[in-house]
Amino acid sequence: MEKKWNWGIIGLGKIANKFAHDIKLVENANLLGVASRNIEKAEGFGAKYNAEYCYGSYDELLNNPNIDVVYIATPHAYHCDLAMAAMDKGKAVLCEKPFGMNRNEVEKMVLKSREKNVFLMEALWTRFIPATEKLLTLLDDGVIGDLKSVHADFGFEALYEPEKRLFNRTLGGGALLDIGIYPIFMSLLTMGVPTDIKALATMYPTEVDSSCRMIFGYDNEQSALLDSTLLVNTPIECWLHGTNGSLRMSNPFHHTKEMSLYKDRELVKTYSHDFIGLGYYHEIIEVHESLKKGLIESEKLPLSFSLELITIMDKVREEIGLIH
């Protein structure tokens, strides 16, 4: 019989609800415990998703010896400390993006994973959805020739409420860390690390970015134009242009179900690839498969990738004068 993995969730906001929904769809996953700093919130969440243990502190969950894997879904600023504490307890960790607030934090997390010999992965669910897997296959097969540019955007109109996490500098607020990470992720996944980074931003009075536009350059005539904004609703698409065609990842590209192939600006073919549940199912499966193999990092999303991603984001922040 295949081992059942006991999960714990720390931080019980919107994403945690979606994640808990998908845990129920994974045959060998069990949501054993949930933790919030508010015990009533934990008990309500636990009742909704049938968790056996509901805690009013994070430490209580980490001290449960029967929890194998911890999913961290708190505000960004707490990711590093909680991941470190979980690994110190020997727990495997799946931590929401961005992994940490800066490269220094991510380096500490990676070192702790290796020191304790425990699994650690950034929860970039986009990497594991079927459409992304298909995209990588199409690029490898040369369907659009040599990839030359990536254009990706992510924007939604957010009501400015200075007291909320999204606009709070100390909690890692702003467009870049919250949603700009997805366009950057796509450029890194498909073209690697840029050699040149330029960025412009507009700022809220709380000193976080309300919008951020990035232009990346590469040594091999590749480029990326990437946008994130909290000011307006944008298409949330990703276009990949090559020497022999283009691919469009439809809205919302970070968990799309459809891609389109264009040749000479004419639609040639549409690829449909649904995901299971709300899309988080696939990263849960990746964690389980990695643990079954005895790995301490994902082969599809290694820790080196997360280090490259946060390094790029640090450079963008430096460009726009964003200090967290």
Side-chain angles (χ1 to χ4, degrees):
M1 179 179 287
E2 189 171 355
K3 173 179 169 61
K4 207 170 190 71
W5 300 98
N6 287 323
W7 284 78
I9 298 179
I10 290 179
L12 307 179
K14 286 183 181 178
I15 294 179
N17 273 271
K18 295 176 181 178
F19 190 86
H21 171 278
D22 278 14
I23 277 183
K24 297 300 177 186
L25 305 178
V26 180
E27 190 174 351
N28 59 332
N30 176 47
L31 181 55
L32 187 65
V34 298
S36 170
R37 289 174 295 187
N38 180 316
I39 186 60
E40 289 80 13
K41 185 174 184 179
E43 288 173 345
F45 190 102
K48 183 177 181 181
Y49 298 106
N50 302 314
E52 186 175 341
Y53 299 99
C54 304
Y55 300 110
S57 78
Y58 302 151
D59 284 342
E60 287 180 282
L61 183 145
L62 295 179
N63 285 324
N64 184 328
N66 296 316
I67 289 177
D68 302 305
V69 194
V70 175
Y71 170 63
I72 298 171
T74 61
H76 313 330
Y78 307 122
H79 288 179
C80 178
D81 286 346
L82 287 169
M84 299 283 280
M87 288 186 284
D88 273 331
K89 295 292 184 179
K91 312 295 188 191
V93 173
L94 176 65
C95 181
E96 261 308 323
K97 56 80 191 166
F99 230 1
M101 295 284 280
N102 50 54
R103 183 181 171 98
N104 180 57
E105 287 193 350
V106 175
E107 284 179 339
K108 285 168 60 179
M109 293 161 68
V110 172
L111 286 172
K112 179 68 72 174
S113 166
R114 291 169 180 163
E115 173 195 330
K116 296 293 182 179
N117 197 39
V118 293
F119 180 83
L120 175 65
M121 187 178 93
E122 189 169 9
L124 276 161
W125 63 320
T126 303
R127 173 63 186 86
F128 307 105
I129 63 168
T132 302
E133 299 273 21
K134 180 63 175 178
L135 170 71
L136 295 176
T137 298
L138 292 172
L139 293 176
D140 284 344
D141 290 345
V143 169
I144 61 169
D146 296 330
L147 179 62
K148 288 299 179 183
S149 69
V150 172
H151 293 177
D153 71 273
F154 197 146
F156 65 92
E157 188 176 359
L159 177 65
Y160 179 57
E161 299 176 279
E163 71 282 0
K164 294 291 180 68
R165 175 202 67 82
L166 190 57
F167 310 100
N168 187 316
R169 184 170 60 83
T170 59
L171 294 180
L176 175 65
L177 261 65
D178 206 65
I179 54 178
I181 189 171
Y182 286 112
I184 295 172
F185 166 80
M186 287 306 303
S187 69
L188 179 58
L189 181 67
T190 56
M191 297 197 300
V193 178
T195 53
D196 187 41
I197 294 174
K198 297 286 187 288
L200 293 170
T202 57
M203 309 295 282
Y204 286 118
T206 53
E207 299 181 320
V208 299
D209 58 311
S210 53
S211 65
C212 182
R213 165 161 284 197
M214 298 157 276
I215 301 174
F216 294 171
Y218 302 80
D219 285 338
N220 51 358
E221 298 182 322
Q222 291 179 319
S223 65
L225 177 61
L226 314 171
D227 282 295
S228 60
T229 181
L230 301 173
L231 298 176
V232 293
N233 296 316
T234 70
I236 313 184
E237 293 181 339
C238 178
W239 281 86
L240 301 104
H241 301 291
T243 54
N244 192 33
S246 300
L247 284 164
R248 176 173 68 97
M249 302 180 76
S250 301
N251 173 299
F253 77 83
H254 63 301
H255 60 282
T256 191
K257 297 180 180 181
E258 185 176 286
M259 287 186 297
S260 302
L261 173 64
Y262 292 82
K263 302 272 188 176
D264 297 322
R265 297 179 180 154
E266 297 290 331
L267 177 62
V268 174
K269 187 174 183 179
T270 298
Y271 305 89
S272 295
H273 294 274
D274 203 353
F275 46 74
I276 296 173
L278 301 174
Y280 298 86
Y281 171 95
H282 304 281
E283 68 178 356
I284 297 169
I285 293 294
E286 177 66 15
V287 172
H288 287 182
E289 291 300 312
S290 298
L291 291 173
K292 280 161 56 179
K293 295 176 183 176
L295 303 176
I296 64 168
E297 60 184 310
S298 163
E299 293 174 317
K300 292 183 178 179
L301 189 68
L303 295 173
S304 58
F305 186 98
S306 292
L307 282 165
E308 290 170 346
L309 181 61
I310 196 67
T311 301
I312 293 169
M313 293 178 72
D314 279 358
K315 289 179 180 176
V316 171
R317 275 190 295 198
E318 185 179 344
E319 279 280 304
I320 64 177
L322 177 61
I323 302 170
H324 283 109

